[in-house]
Amino acid sequence: MNDLVRQHTALDDSDLEWLHLLVSEWQLLSDLSFADLVLWVPTRDGTRYVSVAQMRPNTGPTSYQDDMVGHLVPRGRRPLLDAALDEGRIVREGDPEWREEVPVRVESIPVRREGRVLGVIARNTNLLTVRTPSRLELTYLQSASDLAQMIAAGSFPFPGQQVDMDASPRVGDGLLRLDADGIVQYASPNALSAYHRLGLAADLVGHHLGTATAELAPSRGPVDEALAKVASGWAPREFEIEGGDGVIQLRAIPLKPKGPRIGSLVLLRDVTELRRRERELITKDATIREIHHRVKNNLQTVAALLRLQARRIDSATGREALEEAVRRVGSIAIVHETLSQNLDERVEFDEIADRVLAMVAEISPGKVTGRRTGRFGILDAEVATPLSMVLTEILQNALEHGFQEGDTGTVEVSAVRGGNTSKDGRLLITVQDDGVGLPEGFDPHRSGNLGLQIVRTLVEGEMGGTFDMVRAPERGTQVVLDIPVRGDK
């Protein structure tokens, strides 16, 4: 719609925003009217109309099999559009049009904003299935007529009341029609069923909706007065009430076709099962986070026990092995700590990489600094856990074997996600130091070093990636990992 309005019309951004607000609400008018809606806006030179939006009803058959958006028609071809635009009134004159052997009643509703008519809504009703209307259909049509008059007067939609139509109640979910005092004049079967689930034993018709709703709500006191006022439809509001065995979402729409409020529409939907599932998911998420938190605590306890045991061992080799085990356990604990703070099983790995880098740097025999470049991005837990261990082993190996006591140097961890350097859906990691480098004839794929065995097993076996260790171009050692990851970054 933005492109069509800016290309063909003279409307400014504030006018366009009003049209967006209207289009976000007009499913309501379409469903109440049992009719298709097409929004026509005059072109910049005033000689044609361009259709910028279209809506089909959920409550009846469509009048348009084809998409009308983007069509241009010359002024004069559709007299009802001309009359509505020029006179600023709803135009209903004329005989039905025949489209592919289907009679269609056409009406035109001017769209007014701040005294100016921006365009015209063509309301097209398929008359092929017209029958003797029921009380429900009559209420729908009367409410649609009131909304159409409000659009023509510029009082609907309500400024500042952007509505998410996917989340808000729709006409078919349940509808109540109130008079100016908040007394229910009509209640659809779905609306009655929803209120019965809240605990209402009587009929709603003839009762004050605000009072009845406040009595069903579990709270008492000043909140009841506010709820009663909102439920009476005095202002455009959305709210939820919970009582008995149900939860109902309501949306109040004041009706002011001629200025003063003559009544209200209240759309409502039974969201009991939806809220129940949401609570179950919240409980499940909280349980998962608590599990990760407890696993992290248990791993830290194991690390503390291993550290304590290392202090009691006289053998330098045994002490070193236990300290390596402490770091391995710690790298896994970092991942679980991060997962305990998330709502899903995915983590931002950059923070984990930085913490692993800082943890391993503590064992540096000299003044070696570590740094990270690039972004790892968000990774699944099944990738993040083994990758944290792999980074720990590679960094530990670089610091222990690449530098001597008192040496200065740098270890850099580089990550590239997708793009030109790495294939989409893969993560390329390079760990490079400027230490002494690899000994002659060293083969990382045959080395008996436990750390490298862990790296090979995790990278190639568990993560399905590749691992290589070579001499750096100038000095030191370069380790390259290429692992598959999910496409989003």
Side-chain angles (χ1 to χ4, degrees):
M1 185 167 73
N2 287 356
D3 294 339
L4 289 171
V5 169
R6 288 171 178 151
Q7 179 182 353
H8 295 285
T9 78
L11 300 183
D12 58 27
D13 288 344
S14 59
D15 295 331
L16 180 58
E17 185 63 29
W18 182 261
L19 295 184
H20 275 293
L21 189 61
L22 172 66
V23 169
S24 72
E25 293 270 29
W26 71 344
Q27 180 73 65
L28 174 62
L29 177 62
S30 178
D31 289 346
L32 290 172
S33 303
F34 310 97
D36 290 76
L37 305 179
V38 179
L39 177 57
W40 296 93
V41 180
T43 57
R44 191 174 288 104
D45 58 9
T47 62
R48 296 181 297 175
Y49 297 96
V50 58
S51 58
V52 298
Q54 179 178 359
M55 178 58 65
R56 291 184 172 88
N58 293 317
T59 52
T62 183
S63 302
Y64 287 110
Q65 299 299 326
D66 299 326
D67 188 359
M68 294 296 296
V69 175
H71 282 216
L72 289 161
V73 298
R75 183 178 173 88
R77 179 174 295 180
R78 302 194 177 186
L80 296 186
L81 293 182
D82 298 339
L85 183 69
D86 297 339
E87 302 173 22
R89 66 180 179 88
I90 299 175
V91 182
R92 296 190 175 94
E93 298 89 18
D95 297 326
E97 295 181 3
W98 287 83
R99 299 174 187 164
E100 298 180 356
E101 300 183 354
V102 175
V104 176
R105 183 174 64 242
V106 181
E107 305 165 89
S108 295
I109 305 167
V111 177
R112 192 183 304 272
R113 173 180 178 265
E114 297 180 353
R116 296 184 301 114
V117 177
L118 306 182
V120 178
I121 295 176
R123 181 165 55 176
N124 303 270
T125 306
N126 187 326
L127 300 178
L128 197 61
T129 58
V130 169
R131 59 186 185 276
T132 303
S134 64
R135 178 76 187 280
L136 180 145
E137 290 170 332
L138 289 173
T139 302
Y140 277 20
L141 293 172
Q142 180 57 53
S143 301
S145 177
D146 293 336
L147 284 177
Q149 292 183 58
M150 291 170 65
I151 292 173
S155 57
F156 186 84
F158 303 109
Q161 292 291 324
Q162 187 78 30
V163 175
D164 182 0
M165 291 305 297
D166 292 332
S168 295
R170 294 175 178 256
V171 170
D173 296 328
L175 178 141
L176 302 171
R177 172 88 186 208
L178 315 182
D179 65 12
D181 297 322
I183 305 300
V184 179
Q185 296 179 309
Y186 174 78
S188 72
N190 285 347
L192 283 176
S193 297
Y195 263 83
H196 288 160
R197 190 164 188 176
L198 286 181
L200 181 71
D203 191 358
L204 270 175
V205 177
H207 291 80
H208 190 276
L209 181 65
T211 302
T213 303
E215 290 175 352
L216 294 172
S219 58
R220 293 291 179 264
V223 175
D224 288 354
E225 297 179 5
L227 179 61
K229 194 171 183 181
V230 170
S232 299
W234 66 278
R237 293 287 187 274
E238 286 196 30
F239 58 99
E240 283 189 9
I241 60 170
E242 181 172 358
D245 297 325
V247 183
I248 293 182
Q249 181 184 16
L250 298 99
R251 181 190 177 199
I253 303 169
L255 297 176
K256 306 175 182 179
K258 297 181 180 179
R261 185 170 67 87
I262 64 167
S264 307
L265 276 183
V266 177
L267 305 180
L268 59 92
R269 177 169 58 185
D270 186 343
V271 292
T272 306
E273 293 304 315
L274 178 63
R275 296 296 176 258
R276 181 185 63 80
R277 289 195 296 270
E278 287 178 350
R279 292 190 185 106
E280 289 178 352
L281 288 174
I282 291 172
T283 302
K284 178 182 177 182
D285 289 338
T287 302
I288 291 173
R289 289 199 299 272
E290 179 62 22
I291 290 172
H292 284 302
H293 181 70
R294 294 189 182 188
V295 169
K296 182 263 296 183
N297 288 343
N298 290 338
L299 289 172
Q300 288 180 336
T301 300
V302 171
L305 291 173
L306 291 173
R307 196 176 293 111
L308 181 63
Q309 186 66 38
R311 295 195 189 104
R312 293 174 173 268
I313 291 182
D314 296 330
S315 169
T317 303
R319 190 183 310 111
E320 182 179 341
L322 286 177
E323 289 173 350
E324 288 182 358
V326 168
R327 286 187 287 274
R328 289 164 185 153
V329 172
S331 66
I332 301 175
I334 291 173
V335 177
H336 282 282
E337 181 180 4
T338 305
L339 287 169
S340 69
Q341 301 168 3
N342 293 340
L343 293 177
D344 54 19
E345 292 292 288
R346 312 196 71 201
V347 296
E348 177 64 59
F349 197 80
D350 294 329
E351 179 184 353
I352 294 175
D354 291 340
R355 293 179 63 179
V356 168
L357 192 60
M359 178 183 67
V360 176
E362 295 176 0
I363 68 168
S364 171
K367 298 179 180 180
V368 180
T369 59
R371 65 168 180 263
R372 173 180 60 84
T373 60
R375 289 192 66 249
F376 286 85
I378 298 175
L379 299 178
D380 293 332
E382 57 263 28
V383 175
T385 301
L387 183 57
S388 67
M389 287 194 64
V390 166
L391 275 181
T392 301
E393 297 298 332
I394 293 174
L395 291 170
Q396 183 172 291
N397 187 76
L399 292 173
E400 286 185 353
H401 302 290
F403 300 94
Q404 302 294 326
E405 188 72 32
D407 287 351
T408 60
T410 303
V411 178
E412 179 176 311
V413 178
S414 171
V416 178
R417 187 81 174 265
N420 297 326
T421 308
S422 177
K423 298 177 182 178
D424 290 338
R426 302 193 72 84
L427 175 61
L428 183 67
I429 305 167
T430 304
V431 181
Q432 183 168 322
D433 65 70
D434 54 4
V436 299
L438 297 174
E440 291 293 335
F442 180 80
D443 185 354
H445 298 283
R446 296 188 179 184
S447 171
N449 180 290
L450 177 60
L452 291 182
Q453 289 181 10
I454 292 174
V455 170
R456 288 197 302 269
T457 301
L458 293 177
V459 172
E460 298 173 356
E462 188 164 336
M463 291 188 285
T466 60
F467 155 73
D468 198 11
M469 177 183 284
V470 297
R471 286 181 176 272
E474 297 182 2
R475 180 186 176 188
T477 304
Q478 184 180 81
V479 179
V480 180
L481 307 175
D482 190 351
I483 59 177
V485 292
R486 283 173 56 172
D488 51 330
K489 303 177 183 179

